[in-house]
Every structure is written in C-alpha cells, then in structure tokens.
Amino acid sequence: MIMLRNITFIIFYCITSVLIAQNVKQKEVTITGQVLDKETKQPLEYATIAFFNKSLNKIETGGITDGNGNFSIPINTGLYDISIEYISFKTIKLLNRNITKSENIGVFSLELDTETLDAVEIVAEKTTVDIRLDKKIYNIGKDLTTAGGTVSDALNNVPSVSVDVEGGISLRGNENVRILINGKPSALAGFGDSNILSQLPADAIERVEVITSPSARYDAEGTAGILNIILRKKEILGFNGALNLTAGQPDNVGLSANLNFRTEKFNIFSNIGYRYFDAPRTNYTDITYFDRVVDGTTISPEYQRIIEDEDVTRLNRNYNANVGVEYFLSEKTSITGSLFYRYGEDADLSKNNSDRFNNEAIVERTLRNERQNEEDNSYQISLNYITKFNDDGHELTADFQYENDAENQRLNIDEAYVFTDKTDPDPFQNERVFATEDQTEYLIQADYVLPIGENARFEAGYRGRFENEITDYNLEQENLQDNTFFVNDTISNVFDYTQNVNAFYTQYGTKFGKFSFLLGLRLENTQLKGKIDSRLTDEELEEAFGFPIETDFDNNFLGLFPTLNIIYNLRPEDSDIEESITFGYNRRINRPRGWFLNPFPSRSSRTNVFQGNPNLDPAFASTFDLGYLKRLDKITLTTSIYYQYETGAFERIRENTGQQTSDGIDIIRRIPVNLSTNERTGGEFGILYNPNDWLRLNSSFNIFQFKTKGQFNGVDYGANNLSWFTRFSGKVTLPYAIDWQTNAYYMGPRQNAQNKTKGLFSMDVAFSKEVFKDKATLSLNVRDVFNSRILRRTTETESFFSNNESQWRVRQINLSLLYRFNQQKKRSRSDFEDNEFDEEG
C-alpha cells in the first residue's frame, strides 16, 4: 500500500512540475487541509482535491489525501474553483477562491451520498433488473458460482438466457442471438462464435443487457434479440484495481487483473488475464442403419449398427488483454482508444472406438485417433469520440473499430483395426489437415441525439460493418503404396466470404402523462458475397454434394426494419411502488455466417460431417412482446408474453448423403437449410426477492412453443414443439459472514422434425468469505455438482436411427481469491449509469 501511495504521489508530483514549468512567472504556494468522514470523524484516505484554474478554464493540478486524511498540494497563485471528492460521498466545492499565499484551507467533513451509495451497493452485491423502453438490464451482481469462471458461466445465470452443454447461447429457447460487447460486435465475442465466450473471465462483466425488443438504434441482426455484455471500466480517481487468482479441478489455473488509473484529464483502464485449463469431453453415438431404396433398388447397409464411443482431452492456454485510455478534451468532450488482444493455444486428443454389428453380433472394431493443435490470434483496435453539447442529452458520438482474427489448425488422423471379420481388409488412409482462417472486420458508425423539450428525443445515425473471411482448407491423404502423402484436391479448397452491411436509422421518443414510447425505422442493405476456389466444377460439386452450388455468388438484400416500444406506468412518479406495462414490436434479420455457407464438409468424423449450404438466404422475423413489471420494497416481479413469425428460418437437418466411406459405412451429414416459416409463442416469469440482508432469492420460468414448416430434397421437416426451462438462485449469509449460494437449472425436453432431446438438470454451489480486513474475497464453487449436464438426443430419418449422449464439460471445482486495492467493498463507484457504450448504432 505504501508503494502504491508513493507511485501515486510521484505521478501527481510530475504533473505538477510540468504545469509549474509552463508558467514560471507565477508564484508557487502550498495548500494544505484535511478530509474526514462527517459521521465517524475518521480520516478519509485517497480523497481527491482538484484545482480548476478560472483563467485557463481547465483543471491545473490536484492531489489525494494520505492515511490521516491530510493533503499538501503545491500550486501557482491564481483564481480557482476547488473540489473535494470521495467515492460515494457528497462533493464539497469552494468557488472563486483567490489563492495568493500558502495556507491551510481547513478541515472538510464529507457526508455520505445515500442515493449514490444505495445504487453502488445494488451494483456490488445484488442481482437486479431495470426495465427500459427497449431492454432489460440485469446486473449479475456478486455471483459466487461464477468466481474463477467464464463469461458463458455468467450468462447461464441471466434470466431468459440459457447456455447448452456445447457452449451455444439461446434467448427464450432461440439460438439466433446477437452477442455484443459494450454495444458493438467485437473480437471478444469471437466474430459471432459464442464458444469464445467460454474463454473470457466472468469477473470482467459489469452487467448484461437482455434486449428482446431492440430499438432502431441497434443492428437488426439476431431474430431472438441481443445480449449486450458491458465490461467493467472503472472511473475512480487515482490508481485502483483488483487481482483474481483461480485454481481448480479438472486442471484450471487462471490469473486476471483489472487495473485503473484516473485523473481529472484521463482514465486508463485494463483487463488482463491468463488461463490454462483441461476440458475433457465425451461423446457416445449409437446408430442403426435401415435398408434404402434408390431408383427402385433396395440397398442394404454394410453394417446394420455402429456404436462410437469418443473421449477427448482438451488442453487450452489463453491470454487476453484489454487496455484503453479515455482522454477528456474538455468537460463535455472525450476520446477513448482501446486495444484488445487474445492468444489461444489448444491441444486436443480424441480417441474414438467404433464397434460395428451385423445381426446383433459385433464383427469389427476400429480405433480412430485425432490430434489437433490450434493457434488463435485476435486483436481489436477501437476509437470512440463523444461530445455533449449540454447536460440535457444533446450529443454526438463517432466510432471506428478494426478487428483481425487468425487461426491456424493442424489435424492428424489415423485409424486402425482392433479386430475384423474380413480376411484381408484394406488399411485406412492416414490423413493430415492444414487449415487457416483469416477474418477481418471494419466498423464505422456515428450517432446523433437531440433532446426536444423536457420529454422528447430525436436520434439518427449510420453504421457500416465490412467483414471478410478467408478459409484455406488443405487435406492430405496417405498413399498406401509408398506411405507418402498427396493433396486431395477434390476436398481441398479456399473459401473467400464477404459480408457488408450499411445501415441508416432514425427514431423518436417522447413521454406524455404515464405513457412513454420510442418509434424507429432502420434501413439496411446486406451484401453476401462468396467465391469458392476448388478443382471441382459447379456440376461436379452438385453431384458430390446433392444440390446446385454457385462457386461465385454476390447477393444483395435491402430491408426496412421498423420498431416500436411503449411503456405505460401504472403508478404515479412519486409512488414507492414501481409498476408498468411494456409493449414492443420489431422486425429483424438472421444473416448466415461463413461456416454456414461453405459446402465442403468437416473432417472431424468420416461418417458424421457438417456441411455448409451456399444457397442459404437471410431469414426475416417480426416479433411482438407484451411485458409487466412490479417492483416493491423487497420484491420485483417481471413477466411477458411474446409471438414471433419468421420466414426462411434456418434449420440444421441430418440426412444420408448417399455416399460411403472406403470401408462401406454410410456418411451422414448435418446441413443448414431455409424452411418456409417458423412461428414462436412463449411466456416468461421472473421474481427477485430480497427479504433481508442475509437472504436473496431469484427465480425465473420460461415456456415456449414453435411450429416449423418446410421441405428440403423432397422431405417434409415441419414440426410442432412445446418446451420450457426454469432456474433458481438463492444466496444466504451464514454465521461468521460466510455467503452460500446455490443455482439450479432445468431445461425441459424438446424436439423438432428429426430430433428429440431429453430434459437436462444441473446445479452449482458456492461459498465465499471476506478476508484480509474485507480487502479480499475467498470463494469455493462447484459447477454441475451432480455431473449431470449431459445432452441426450435421438434422431430418426428414413435411413437411420441415432441415439447420442454428449458431455461438453465435466464437473468443475474452483478455488478463487479476489484481492482489491484502493477500493472499498461497498463504496466503489461503478459505471452502471455512466457507461457510454450501452448501445450500438
């Protein structure tokens, strides 16, 4: 602590020296004084004293108090406004103070700002919900179960949101969710790959905005809605931060730091972390193959039944750093620059035992080994400019963002017979895969906000997002004659994909009486452009993949996206009870990602492959949402019902390709297709109950039904499904100030035209204790206590029946220590209301 105080003193001394050197003609004097807590009469260490020079119209210098609350600051003579500030206390200002000599300006007793303190305590400790015209804001609070965990772990505790065993994120049961970081698409979210969120530390999150009815200000992407993850960006004067150390089983070691240094002129903030972890997973598949009739001829399968039992060891090392500087050009204008960097190394080893049966007797067993090494480099450069013309909300913001992500993957595959009934079986070809993926994205946007009177606001803006993704896939196979490798140029390919979106929007909001509404319109033009570099012609690709394929396509889609959000307050503004009804309407789009369009199949399995579909068009959806909120002193109730109608909806189907492996096994593929319609109807209910300081309860329930209609390759994939999920969280303070938290989650069974998925239950438990005089928190948590997060699914088609069980991550036990310096546990100002990045344009 002494060292940190010395560092802070040196920094302020250097700043003061520079300012003095700029005006040597002025006389230097010393101003002293003391700052106390008015209630306890205790000295306040690290209180801030700032001197605003009236003639220069800027803050000239400042300082902080020592452990006894004393300050001594050298300053040039002149006319100043002096402010004395401390976190969560009311500021004292001395206006027009003419300083002509060294003097002691007195003892200042600061009074607690109860409104600020209450807000801070909510942010620091509790999970709360705040209803806005176009979103619900969930502050995830001090969630013990995610200590040492990831962003995905934290999202899984947010109402309306669920994260499946494979890391896929859905909102109200719909997987087409747009993930934003600080209001913008970001490399932190992995260019739309939600699995990247399982690599980022949860303690970097300030809050999560669940936007089920986005206004026109937001990108129209994501038919389910938007999850906007707001990262911490402290703005406390001086140097402060936190260190977090985690160790767990299976192997999980993490170290992260949140550091911040703030003066009146600039703010430096950072999140830096390292994580090493072992994430073993298992996958079991039992497939029964049926006879197929092709052109009047019955074709029997080589094997009637195949059981694959796969165990995967996944070793991961991830580094991430987010560093930014916010510079205040004036009291109302600032520019922020930030750099995000992430580097990851994965080393996976998969062992897949395959048993093959005929007439219920095993006839062959093979062992397939896959060794995959992957390196991933991502970085993002962001610039933000904001100027506030006044204190009423009249402002202009501009943003520029550049991102790059480079992945290099090497995969070695070998397979051998354990035994077989064949007299002279052909050996398997060993394979080597070399794949690179390079993604770049530019983002340019500007937003203008103009208040009109006291209760109205006009907004307008532009956003351009320009993405390019180049995937170079090279497959080498073994020549069984001389054991050399050759390039399979029927599968090797280069896929160059571009997605450009230009958008203009305008919206108007106003309030009259108990009504508030926000009406907007967004115009978007989407360009989907791709080129496939392959030896195969279009005709050969159609024959190989079973549907027509364009190797060079350029499609444009122009769309209008209206939005309407209304709030009706049932109580007067001065009521102690908050009660309101909300209504939202919006039209949205689902654009296919690059890997959904690349027709060349994956090679993670010879018999079960994923294949993209370059003929995919965007899907469009219209959603209506009616909600209700009632907030009492200790309880908050939220509920809503919604209806969505989507055209061209995506569905991933499984079908027999009609092709076989070299040893006669049918190849099954998963492929995304456009179905004609998808109707969704649902409702949700949530309750937050905090009866006292030692007990907090949080529960939610979601039920939804969807109806799909559509055909592909002559097969009807229409379906009707009803499903639900619920979660419960309880936090209790035990004797000796030990906090105990339990989170439980259940996803009900669900199905579509081909798949039936069984229900899934999981529970997390955690304990925490404040140590080192409340400067640190020690946490122990167990995620998936019963090791029950196992996906169980059956699939039935005309040619096969499949039973599958997969577990993406086993039970995890973590011990975490969070140490805070220059912060007080409940008196650290957050950016809950001040963050400037809570919306995208």
Side-chain angles (χ1 to χ4, degrees):
M1 187 65 66
I2 294 174
M3 182 183 69
L4 294 175
R5 188 158 56 235
N6 290 338
I7 292 173
T8 305
F9 173 76
I10 292 171
I11 292 172
F12 277 109
Y13 178 80
C14 293
I15 294 173
T16 305
S17 299
V18 171
L19 293 172
I20 293 173
Q22 292 176 344
N23 193 355
V24 296
K25 294 182 179 180
Q26 287 182 295
K27 179 182 177 182
E28 182 183 275
V29 297
T30 300
I31 301 300
T32 59
Q34 187 181 32
V35 182
L36 303 177
D37 184 327
K38 184 176 181 179
E39 181 179 353
T40 66
K41 307 302 180 184
Q42 296 296 313
L44 293 178
E45 185 179 9
Y46 298 109
T48 303
I49 297 86
F51 292 81
F52 184 87
N53 191 311
K54 303 284 285 187
S55 59
L56 298 178
N57 197 32
K58 68 176 184 178
I59 293 177
E60 182 171 324
T61 189
I64 59 175
T65 56
D66 60 18
N68 296 317
N70 296 317
F71 60 88
S72 177
I73 303 171
I75 189 172
N76 296 322
T77 57
L79 184 64
Y80 293 92
D81 287 343
I82 306 173
S83 65
I84 298 95
E85 300 180 18
Y86 191 72
I87 305 155
S88 301
F89 284 74
K90 294 181 179 179
T91 299
I92 292 179
K93 290 186 178 291
L94 307 177
L95 303 180
N96 300 316
R97 191 67 177 257
N98 188 18
I99 296 177
T100 59
K101 62 181 180 179
S102 297
E103 62 177 311
N104 186 314
I105 59 176
V107 177
F108 300 93
S109 297
L110 298 188
E111 182 181 357
L112 273 174
D113 187 341
T114 55
E115 293 183 3
T116 303
L117 182 57
D118 289 342
V120 169
E121 288 180 335
I122 289 173
V123 170
E125 297 293 340
K126 299 179 182 179
T127 298
T128 62
V129 57
D130 186 18
I131 305 296
R132 302 287 178 86
L133 266 169
D134 57 348
K135 58 192 161 188
K136 296 177 183 177
I137 301 175
Y138 292 96
N139 166 56
I140 62 173
K142 188 182 177 184
D143 193 333
L144 308 182
T145 63
T146 64
T150 67
V151 170
S152 290
D153 298 323
L155 289 179
N156 207 33
N157 293 334
V158 174
S160 304
V161 180
S162 58
V163 182
D164 64 25
V165 297
E166 297 178 342
I169 298 172
S170 61
L171 180 60
R172 292 172 166 176
N174 189 343
E175 296 181 353
N176 184 223
V177 184
R178 181 65 165 161
I179 306 293
L180 303 177
I181 303 292
N182 291 339
K184 301 174 182 63
S186 172
L188 278 75
F191 293 91
D193 180 7
S194 60
N195 288 326
I196 300 298
L197 299 177
S198 64
Q199 302 174 11
L200 299 175
D203 56 19
I205 298 180
E206 178 67 37
R207 67 184 186 273
V208 177
E209 298 178 347
V210 179
I211 310 173
T212 54
S213 184
S215 68
R217 184 181 177 97
Y218 290 91
D219 182 4
E221 173 73 24
T223 56
I226 295 171
L227 290 180
N228 187 19
I229 301 169
I230 305 299
L231 301 182
R232 298 184 187 276
K233 184 168 74 76
K234 297 292 185 182
E235 294 189 350
I236 304 171
L237 289 172
F239 181 61
N240 60 87
L243 300 175
N244 197 347
L245 177 64
T246 299
Q249 178 63 36
D251 292 348
N252 180 29
V253 178
L255 177 64
S256 63
N258 298 314
L259 305 174
N260 181 84
F261 178 73
R262 167 73 190 268
T263 71
E264 293 290 345
K265 201 64 179 175
F266 63 87
N267 180 42
I268 301 175
F269 54 92
S270 65
N271 295 290
I272 303 170
Y274 165 78
R275 186 173 181 232
Y276 168 85
F277 62 99
D278 178 11
R281 68 176 178 87
T282 60
N283 187 61
Y284 175 88
T285 305
D286 184 348
I287 302 179
T288 299
Y289 295 92
F290 309 138
D291 291 344
R292 293 185 297 118
V293 178
V294 180
D295 297 330
T297 302
T298 300
I299 301 176
S300 298
E302 179 76 13
Y303 302 100
Q304 296 170 347
R305 183 185 181 193
I306 297 178
I307 297 177
E308 294 188 357
D309 193 358
E310 181 185 30
D311 288 305
V312 182
T313 301
R314 298 181 295 168
L315 299 179
N316 298 265
R317 291 172 295 277
N318 297 313
Y319 307 82
N320 63 84
N322 184 29
V323 181
V325 178
E326 182 178 14
Y327 183 74
F328 303 97
L329 300 173
S330 68
E331 186 179 349
K332 299 185 182 300
T333 302
S334 67
I335 184 169
T336 302
S338 64
L339 171 65
F340 167 77
Y341 175 74
R342 178 173 58 85
Y343 174 75
E345 289 183 356
D346 296 347
D348 298 354
L349 174 61
S350 168
K351 292 183 175 294
N352 191 352
N353 284 286
S354 180
D355 293 341
R356 293 140 193 197
F357 298 82
N358 280 323
N359 300 319
E360 299 184 357
I362 186 170
V363 297
E364 185 174 277
R365 175 177 292 167
T366 66
L367 175 62
R368 176 183 172 92
N369 295 302
E370 300 178 12
R371 298 172 178 83
Q372 176 177 299
N373 292 280
E374 183 175 322
E375 294 181 357
D376 187 2
N377 268 288
S378 299
Y379 67 91
Q380 171 185 295
I381 300 171
S382 301
L383 291 174
N384 167 265
Y385 170 85
I386 180 169
T387 183
K388 299 180 179 180
F389 301 104
N390 54 38
D391 295 327
D392 299 325
H394 186 197
E395 64 182 37
L396 173 68
T397 61
D399 291 273
F400 171 79
Q401 190 169 284
Y402 171 76
E403 305 176 15
N404 178 266
D405 180 54
E407 295 184 16
N408 291 285
Q409 181 187 106
R410 179 187 176 97
L411 178 64
N412 292 289
I413 304 172
D414 63 81
E415 190 166 0
Y417 293 100
V418 177
F419 66 83
T420 180
D421 64 349
K422 297 176 182 176
T423 56
D424 188 20
D426 293 329
F428 295 101
Q429 288 179 298
N430 291 337
E431 296 182 351
R432 299 190 305 206
V433 175
F434 302 91
T436 62
E437 227 176 72
D438 190 74
Q439 302 176 76
T440 58
E441 177 177 316
Y442 293 89
L443 174 72
I444 302 172
Q445 72 179 60
D447 301 284
Y448 177 71
V449 181
L450 176 65
I452 303 174
E454 293 185 0
N455 297 317
R457 186 172 74 170
F458 168 79
E459 297 183 47
Y462 162 80
R463 198 186 90 158
R465 182 162 57 93
F466 313 99
E467 302 177 66
N468 178 253
E469 175 185 337
I470 300 177
T471 304
D472 190 341
Y473 184 90
N474 191 60
L475 172 65
E476 294 183 356
Q477 293 179 303
E478 183 183 15
N479 186 329
L480 298 176
Q481 304 299 321
D482 57 10
N483 300 119
T484 60
F485 284 83
F486 66 93
V487 176
N488 183 330
D489 55 7
T490 63
I491 295 180
S492 299
N493 70 95
V494 177
F495 182 52
D496 189 340
Y497 174 66
T498 297
Q499 182 183 113
N500 297 326
V501 180
N502 286 280
F504 295 89
Y505 81 91
T506 183
Q507 62 183 18
Y508 175 78
T510 190
K511 178 181 179 181
F512 51 92
K514 294 185 177 182
F515 280 95
S516 299
F517 77 85
L518 185 63
L519 176 65
L521 183 64
R522 189 177 184 93
L523 173 68
E524 288 193 353
N525 181 75
T526 301
Q527 180 189 38
L528 304 179
K529 183 179 180 182
K531 184 175 183 181
I532 303 170
D533 185 1
S534 167
R535 186 185 66 82
L536 301 180
T537 64
D538 289 3
E539 291 76 16
E540 290 172 327
L541 286 170
E542 179 178 353
E543 182 179 351
F545 299 145
F547 53 87
I549 289 177
E550 288 186 62
T551 57
D552 192 351
F553 60 89
D554 188 352
N555 301 319
N556 281 270
F557 304 89
L558 183 66
L560 281 173
F561 301 92
T563 62
L564 173 63
N565 291 283
I566 300 173
I567 289 182
Y568 177 69
N569 292 310
L570 299 172
R571 304 274 180 169
E573 292 185 1
D574 57 354
S575 173
D576 294 333
I577 299 175
E578 182 181 349
E579 189 175 16
S580 62
I581 296 174
T582 61
F583 172 79
Y585 164 76
N586 64 90
R587 183 172 187 259
R588 303 190 61 75
I589 184 173
N590 182 10
R591 306 182 185 96
R593 303 295 302 178
W595 67 287
F596 259 40
L597 297 173
N598 190 342
F600 286 89
S602 64
R603 297 291 290 180
S604 60
S605 171
R606 294 188 305 122
T607 58
N608 292 277
V609 300
F610 177 85
Q611 181 180 354
N613 179 5
N615 300 317
L616 273 183
D617 289 332
F620 295 88
S622 293
T623 304
F624 301 85
D625 189 296
L626 182 64
Y628 171 78
L629 166 75
K630 187 170 185 178
R631 195 196 315 268
L632 304 171
D633 181 34
K634 297 180 179 180
I635 190 170
T636 300
L637 304 175
T638 61
T639 185
S640 65
I641 56 175
Y642 56 89
Y643 171 78
Q644 182 183 88
Y645 184 81
E646 183 177 6
T647 58
F650 298 168
E651 183 76 23
R652 279 174 282 189
I653 64 171
R654 296 183 70 183
E655 64 177 9
N656 196 313
T657 62
Q659 302 174 350
Q660 293 185 327
T661 63
S662 59
D663 51 341
I665 302 175
D666 289 349
I667 298 176
I668 308 300
R669 72 178 174 190
R670 287 187 306 130
I671 183 172
V673 299
N674 288 113
L675 295 183
S676 58
T677 61
N678 183 10
E679 289 185 78
R680 285 180 175 269
T681 306
E684 57 185 344
F685 173 80
I687 180 171
L688 299 171
Y689 181 47
N690 300 319
N692 45 53
D693 292 338
W694 60 269
L695 177 63
R696 302 183 187 106
L697 303 176
N698 177 8
S699 182
S700 64
F701 176 79
N702 281 258
I703 185 169
F704 51 90
Q705 180 185 48
F706 65 83
K707 299 178 182 179
T708 57
K709 296 180 182 180
Q711 295 184 348
F712 182 73
N713 284 345
V715 178
D716 185 2
Y717 291 101
N720 190 345
N721 175 69
L722 176 68
S723 187
W724 57 279
F725 67 90
T726 185
R727 58 168 40 90
F728 168 83
S729 177
K731 186 176 178 182
V732 180
T733 301
L734 303 174
Y736 303 103
I738 297 175
D739 286 334
W740 167 29
Q741 182 173 331
T742 299
N743 290 356
Y745 170 81
Y746 181 78
M747 167 62 81
R750 57 197 186 279
Q751 68 179 54
N752 58 21
Q754 293 183 314
N755 302 318
K756 292 183 179 180
T757 304
K758 293 184 178 181
L760 181 152
F761 171 81
S762 68
M763 188 173 77
D764 304 334
V765 174
F767 298 89
S768 78
K769 168 71 176 172
E770 298 300 313
V771 295
F772 303 142
K773 297 181 180 179
D774 287 349
K775 292 182 178 180
T777 304
L778 184 66
S779 302
L780 173 67
N781 63 54
V782 182
R783 289 202 293 274
D784 195 10
V785 174
F786 301 108
N787 206 31
S788 57
R789 283 183 64 83
I790 301 174
L791 181 68
R792 296 178 173 90
R793 175 180 292 164
T794 59
T795 303
E796 185 171 8
T797 71
E798 293 182 349
S799 59
F800 69 90
F801 176 84
S802 171
N803 182 31
N804 173 259
E805 290 188 5
S806 61
Q807 186 173 21
W808 194 254
R809 190 175 67 180
V810 300
R811 179 194 298 116
Q812 180 75 48
I813 303 174
N814 287 327
L815 181 65
S816 179
L817 177 66
L818 174 66
Y819 179 77
R820 300 172 292 273
F821 54 92
N822 293 358
Q823 297 183 24
Q824 295 189 17
K825 180 187 173 188
K826 295 185 180 180
R827 294 182 182 176
S828 55
R829 189 176 74 189
S830 77
D831 54 346
F832 186 73
E833 296 179 348
D834 300 332
N835 193 293
E836 300 294 345
F837 302 95
D838 61 347
E839 292 184 337
E840 81 165 337

